[in-house]
Every structure is written in structure tokens, then in C-alpha cells.
RNA sequence: GCGCCCGUAGCUCAGCUGGAUAGAGCAUCGGACUUCUAAUCCGAGGGUCGGGGGUUCGAAUCCCUCCGGGCGCGCCA
């Protein structure tokens, strides 16, 4: 939280206490909240606390009473009551200078806060089946998961980034059978990929790669053993490829969590026991069912199939217990659109297990449609689920891909304009923002070339910043301290992209109006400090998004 | 049919733990380069915030309802 609002909060609270002592206020004294009004003539900061506190009374007269009782403060220039009862504060420009100084000073923690209070958060995302290359939809999940994780870290949470590896179950068997078939085909034998198996060409290449190290000893092994062994090796290779792709995309995980270990360690069985203990488990048709319909689900769900194999729901139950068992206080799940239907049953299981449901947040990261020339690529609404992420990175680069993935709220389907993403022009927001950063670097280089002393933000005569464009830019910087907590709280990285675009635009106007490096040494020093502050904020915001901030373009 | 998501400018979308005159980009139109990056900037037009009800001092935001679109509703993942 910005330092100004703490200060304002203190004096308004004091005034409220006095008003209460004078009998003008009934009930609890509310905590005042502050916002930056849209309109400039509504002051620098405003609070609606009188509207909140008057509860049926007259908000305006309460507001007047608050103003009369405000203790003196050297940062507040004037306060007025406006509209239905807002308190509008006009502040000394010093609060903006303080913003510039802090933003320009490395390590000041500008934009950082500790509202998370060290809460241990597990963010699980991507978690794509390790049976094929990472696709574009997973890429969107990676970008969103990374950004949300970074935002949580920036607001004082202790974050673990986790990838759940679905390395158990029927899909993995099918994968092994598919690999086995490709292996036999490679060795000139007639073999068919199972109908439900993985037909993709990538397995041909994968098997080719593997076979160098394998020789042909598996050719004569029993099919079951061959498929299992090949499947295991192929899966490890696939995972390594996925990891490499994600790394190229700028995503690294703290934990790759194997589903298989849940089964092997008996955690799935333990979770089933725990569910049984709730009395919401019964048998029917030889299968074990969970009475999720008690907890908002349409119908009951199978936990153990009649052939004795557990469903994903069972593993998910074990997994959520495991996560809490590892000491996490909050769990974020980012699931793909195909898991839409399983949220309710999963949360029902969470609740049944006696876990706090509101510590478990499940969000869907929606589909991506790649657009080229105004048309959906491959005439498929879901192009994103079949196009490899590698291809997108080759096409537009990791920065543009990440940025565009983050521009929209994750719950909304995304139209990804490939033409725009590739464009090196201001129409492309990624380049627009990066360009502003590079331009500032260019100014700083110019200053250095001309022998101007390095910026000392603490001593720069910031009172020389009097131009309207300078004022706008300082105010834009101040907003950063509100944007980061809000974006983190809402799990909304698009707030950050919106913000940087606005900041970059405000900077561009400043650039037009105010020449930085001039004969006027004081003014130059002040403007350079403003430039450094802006550069830091752009770079910091981009780094939260996992997008680079180039020094030149 | 049930559940979730979406419906805001011509297009793509922000804004939605209620706040003062609803925003951006693209597109359209009109301007600005002897300048630290014109890879830019300035201006203009463009809106029943899907419709209707309700709660509130105040609703794009919350509630109800209807309409339209997407997705999900397997002993698949």
C-alpha cells in the first residue's frame, strides 16, 4: 500500500474518532479507503468514508464534520467535500516527488508490498499430459501462471510453481502402446497404433531419437514389457522436451509433481479412506462412488472404476491433501478448458475432506484462437490446442506471445492476432511498451555521452518538474503501487498490461513535450530522475509478466 | 435440460470486493518530422455497458428474470 494512503488514513481515522466522540457517528468507525479520482479537479486522493459511515444519515454533513476535525498535516494542502459526500484531498507535490525518488532508487521496493504476509501459496499450472508437445493453450496457461505467481511474490506471498505430471493411468498406457507401435514400425514391422492412441507424427521422430540408444533388444520382448519400458523412456524424453519448450518460453517450475508417486505412496488409497470416513462414499455396479451431489454437483462421481483403477478425481483428492500436507496455506489451480466440468466435483471432494474450500481456487484458462489475416488458423475454433507452442515462439517470439496471452482475462477465450504480434510497430502493444523502455535508455545514454552526472534520485531538484506532462507522468508512476496489489488480489495480469501501456503512452507524451538533456543542469537532473523512475517501473512490470525490457531496439 | 463463462465503440477487449462525466488498442478521418529513437505524438467522430425488473444516496459492477453466444455435463483426461 502506498505510503501516502497510510498517512491519509491515519488522519482521517483520527477525525472520525473525534466525530464519534462528539456523538456525530454511530457504530463502528470504518477504515477509510482511498482512491485516485479519475478527474483531476477531484483532487489527488479521495475517500468515500463519509458515504460508508453515514449509513442512512447525511453523508455530506458527516463529511463536513470530518474535515473540521482533521488534524494538521504538512502533506495535505486542502480538503473539500464534493458530490454526495466524497472527501477530496489536494496534496503538496512532495508526495509525487517521493514517488519518483522511490521508483528511481534500486531496491526501494517500489510497487512491492507485504499484504500477503508470507502466506505459502502453491500455484499449479500447465500440467499438460506428457504425451505430446506443449501446445499454444498450455502456453497461455504458462504465461498466466507465471505472471500470477510473480504478482503474488511481489505482494509478499511465498510461492511455489508446480507442474502436475499425469504419468499414471489409461492415457499413459495408450501412450506406451503408441510408442511401442512406432518402435516396431521403425524396425520394419507391421504394427498399428491403438485407435484411441497418439497418432501424432512427433512420436515417429521421438522413437527415432530414442532408438539410437536402445538398439533392437526390445523387438523380441513381450509386447506388454516393450510398451511399458518404451513408454517410460518416451515419457521422460517428452517431459524433457516440454520443459525445454517452457524454458524457452521463460517458464520454469519449482516442482514437477508426479501423479504416479501418489499411487505408489498409497496416498490415493489414503484419500479414499478419508472420503469413506465422511460417509459420502458408496458402492454401486462394482464401482466406488462419491456422493458429490450432496455438495452441489449434478450427480455422483466414480472414485474407483469397477476394474479397480482409481479415477482422476481420486488422484486429485490425494493431491490436494498432499499439497496441504506440504504446508501450503493456499492452492491455486489453473486448469485447461477441457477440465471445466470437473471443478464442482473436485471442490466437493475438497470440502468433504474437511479442507477449507476458500483456500482452494480453481480457475479455467480459456482457449486460444490463432488469427491470421482476420481468419482463424486451420479453420478450427480451437487452433490453439493443436498448434505447438514452439511454432508460435518461432513465429512471433516469446515476448509477444507472453504479452498477448496476458492482455486478456484468463477466463475469456482469446483471439490471438498473429499478424499484429509480429509487427514491429506501435500498433503492437508489446513493441510499444518495449520501445518506451528502449527510448528512455537511449536518453540516459545520451546524457552519459554528454558528461551529465549519473542520476541521484534523492538529491535531484524534483520541484523543477512543473510541466503538465511531467505531472501526468509522476501520477502514472504513483498508480503502480495500486495496480500491483490489485492485479495480484484479482489474479488479473491484464491489469498490469493495461497499466504499462498507459504508462508508456504517458511517457511518450512527456518525451514530446519535455526535452530531458538540456543546458539547465537542475532541470536535466530532475528529468533524468523521472526517466529512471519510469524505466524502472516499466522494466519491473515487464519482468513480472516475464517479458524482456530491451535497452535498445 | 442442468452447470460454468461470455455479452461494454465498427473490430478485439479492459473496467465489475458499487462511487463522481464508461476507457484502451485496432480501424476510420484530419494534423505534426531542421528534435534525446516519427518504431512517435496531437486531434475528431463513434456507446440504449444484450433487454427488463429489483437493492442502494449511487449500478457496467450486486440480486432476479429473459434473450443471444461459447464450453462442460463418461466407470475419458
Amino acid at each position: 500500500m502506498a505510503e501516502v494512503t497510510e498517512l491519509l488514513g491515519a488522519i482521517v481515522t483520527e477525525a472520525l474518532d473525534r466525530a464519534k466522540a462528539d456523538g456525530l457517528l454511530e457504530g463502528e468507525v470504518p477504515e477509510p479507503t482511498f482512491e485516485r479520482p479519475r478527474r483531476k479537479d477531484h483532487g489527488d486522493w479521495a475517500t468515500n468514508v463519509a458515504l460508508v459511515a453515514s449509513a442512512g444519515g447525511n453523508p455530506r454533513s458527516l463529511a463536513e464534520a470530518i474535515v473540521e476535525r482533521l488534524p494538521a498535516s504538512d502533506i495535505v494542502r486542502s480538503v473539500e467535500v464534493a458530490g454526495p459526500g466524497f472527501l477530496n484531498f489536494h496534496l503538496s507535490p512532495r508526495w509525487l516527488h517521493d514517488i519518483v525518488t522511490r521508483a528511481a532508487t534500486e531496491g526501494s521496493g517500489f510497487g512491492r508490498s507485504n499484504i500477503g504476509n508470507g502466506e505459502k501459496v502453491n500455484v499449479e499450472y500447465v500440467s499438460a499430459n506428457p504425451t505430446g508437445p506443449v501446445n499454444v493453450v498450455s502456453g497461455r496457461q504458462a504465461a498466466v501462471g507465471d505472471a500470477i505467481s510473480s504478482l503474488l511474490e511481489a505482494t509478499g506471498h511465498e510461492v511455489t510453481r508446480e507442474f502436475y505430471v499425469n504419468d499414471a493411468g489409461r492415457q499413459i498406457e495408450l501412450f506406451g502402446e503408441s510408442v511401442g507401435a512406432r518402435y516396431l514400425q521403425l524396425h520394419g514391422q507391421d504394427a498399428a497404433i491403438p485407435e484411441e492412441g497418439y497418432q501424432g507424427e512427433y512420436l515417429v521422430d521421438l522413437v527415432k531419437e530414442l532408438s539410437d540408444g536402445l538398439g533392437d533388444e526390445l523387438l523380441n520382448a513381450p509386447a506388454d514389457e516393450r510398451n511399458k519400458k518404451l513408454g517410460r523412456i518416451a515419457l521422460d524424453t517428452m517431459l524433457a522436451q516440454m520443459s525445454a519448450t517452457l524454458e524457452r518460453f521463460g517458464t520454469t517450475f519449482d516442482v514437477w509433481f508426479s501423479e504416479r508417486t501418489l499411487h505408489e505412496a498409497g496416498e490415493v488409497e489414503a484419500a479414499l479412506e478419508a472420503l469413506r470416513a465422511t460417509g459420502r462414499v458408496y458402492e454401486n455396479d462394482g464401482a466406488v462412488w462419491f456422493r458429490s451431489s450432496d455438495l452441489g454437483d449434478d450427480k455422483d462421481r466414480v472414485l474407483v472404476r469397477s476394474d479397480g483403477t482409481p479415477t482422476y478425481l481420486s488422484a486429485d483428492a490425494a493431491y490436494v491433501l498432499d499439497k496441504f500436507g506440504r504446508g501450503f496455506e493456499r492452492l491455486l489451480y489453473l486448469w485447461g478448458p477441457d477440465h471445466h466440468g470437473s471443478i464442482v466435483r473436485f471442490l466437493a471432494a475438497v470440502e468433504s475432506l474437511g479442507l477449507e474450500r476458500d483456500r482452494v481456487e480453481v480457475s479455467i484458462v480459456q482457449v486460444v484462437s490463432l488469427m491470421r489475416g482476420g481468419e482463424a488458423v486451420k479453420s478450427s475454433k480451437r487452433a490453439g490446442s493443436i498448434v505447438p507452442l514452439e511454432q508460435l515462439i518461432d513465429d512471433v517470439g516469446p515476448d509477444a506471445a507472453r504479452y498477448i496471452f496476458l492482455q486478456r482475462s484468463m477466463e475469456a477465450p482469446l483471439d490471438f492476432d498473429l499478424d499484429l504480434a509480429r509487427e514491429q510497430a506501435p500498433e503492437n502493444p508489446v513493441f510499444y511498451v518495449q520501445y518506451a523502455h528502449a527510448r528512455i535508455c537511449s536518453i540516459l545514454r545520451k546524457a552519459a555521452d554528454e558528461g551529465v552526472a549519473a542520476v541521484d534520485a534523492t538529491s535531484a531538484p524534483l520541484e523543477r518538474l512543473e510541466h503538465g506532462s511531467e505531472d501526468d507522468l509522476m501520477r502514472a508512476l504513483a498508480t503502480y503501487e495500486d495496480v500491483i496489489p490489485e492485479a495480484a488480489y484479482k489474479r488479473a495480469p491484464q491489469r498490469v498490461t493495461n497499466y504499462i501501456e498507459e504508462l508508456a503512452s504517458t511517457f511518450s507524451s512527456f518525451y514530446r513535450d519535455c526535452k530531458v538533456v538540456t543546458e539547465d543542469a537542475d532541470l536535466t537532473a530532475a528529468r533524468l530522475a523521472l526517466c529512471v523512475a519510469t524505466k524502472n517501473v516499466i522494466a519491473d512490470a515487464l519482468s513480472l509478466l516475464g517479458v524482456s525490457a530491451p535497452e535498445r531496439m
Side-chain angles (χ1 to χ4, degrees), chain A residues 285-461:
Chain A
D285 292 339
V288 179
W289 294 75
F290 173 47
R291 204 185 309 279
S292 54
S293 59
D294 275 3
L295 297 163
D297 203 356
D298 297 355
K299 51 182 116 172
D300 295 346
R301 307 290 170 175
V302 170
L303 289 164
V304 183
R305 302 183 188 94
S306 49
D307 67 0
T309 58
T311 60
Y312 263 69
L313 180 58
S314 301
D316 282 342
Y319 190 28
V320 76
L321 284 170
D322 185 278
K323 282 179 177 172
F324 278 119
R326 281 184 275 152
F328 292 109
E329 298 163 270
R330 178 169 300 279
L331 309 181
L332 267 58
Y333 288 81
L334 301 189
W335 284 356
D338 47 339
H339 289 72
H340 200 129
S342 19
I343 297 179
V344 174
R345 76 189 71 154
F346 173 61
L347 290 177
V350 168
E351 193 172 331
S352 251
L353 290 166
L355 304 169
E356 286 181 66
R357 192 164 168 157
D358 54 6
R359 287 181 182 273
V360 180
E361 301 175 26
V362 184
S363 307
I364 295 297
V365 178
Q366 267 298 348
V367 289
V368 176
S369 307
L370 298 175
M371 311 292 285
R372 178 170 277 139
E375 302 275 320
V377 171
K378 304 212 179 202
S379 71
S380 162
K381 192 85 181 149
R382 290 211 205 169
S385 61
I386 47 178
V387 175
L389 180 60
E390 288 281 352
Q391 194 178 310
L392 182 68
I393 300 175
D394 289 342
D395 198 356
V396 305
D399 281 346
R402 285 186 89 97
Y403 193 93
I404 291 168
F405 282 150
L406 295 172
Q407 268 191 300
R408 306 290 173 236
S409 98
M410 63 178 161
E411 307 251 327
L414 173 72
D415 281 346
F416 191 114
D417 186 337
L418 289 164
D419 303 318
L420 182 63
R422 211 175 350 193
E423 209 159 328
Q424 312 268 320
E427 291 74 35
N428 179 350
V430 192
F431 282 87
Y432 182 79
V433 168
Q434 290 183 321
Y435 178 73
H437 183 268
R439 187 180 240 176
I440 295 172
C441 293
S442 168
I443 294 172
L444 297 178
R445 282 194 296 272
K446 156 110 177 167
D449 286 350
E450 301 200 356
V452 178
V455 173
D456 178 359
T458 51
S459 66

Side-chain angles (χ1 to χ4, degrees), chain A residues 436-518:
Chain A
H437 183 268
R439 187 180 240 176
I440 295 172
C441 293
S442 168
I443 294 172
L444 297 178
R445 282 194 296 272
K446 156 110 177 167
D449 286 350
E450 301 200 356
V452 178
V455 173
D456 178 359
T458 51
S459 66
L462 299 175
E463 66 279 0
R464 292 292 307 279
L465 302 174
E466 293 174 308
H467 195 282
S469 296
E470 294 169 328
D471 190 63
D472 289 344
L473 185 52
M474 289 190 282
R475 287 169 192 277
L477 291 172
T479 306
Y480 191 58
E481 288 193 294
D482 298 323
V483 167
I484 297 305
E486 277 176 24
Y489 176 77
K490 302 274 248 180
R491 287 80 165 106
Q494 76 274 11
R495 294 229 176 181
V496 182
T497 60
N498 284 341
Y499 169 74
I500 335 181
E501 285 165 43
E502 198 181 305
L503 178 62
S505 164
T506 309
F507 173 77
S508 294
S509 299
F510 158 79
Y511 172 83
R512 178 205 62 225
D513 294 335
C514 303
K515 191 162 164 77
V516 176
V517 182
T518 63

Side-chain angles (χ1 to χ4, degrees), chain A residues 130-131 175-176 179-180 203 206-207 210 214 227-241:
Chain A
T131 51
F175 181 66
V179 175
L203 281 187
L206 186 72
V207 166
L210 291 177
L214 283 174
N227 292 344
K228 217 165 227 164
K229 184 151 188 187
L230 282 171
R232 182 69 64 86
I233 297 168
L235 192 137
D236 287 344
T237 311
M238 205 65 245
L239 273 175
Q241 278 183 21

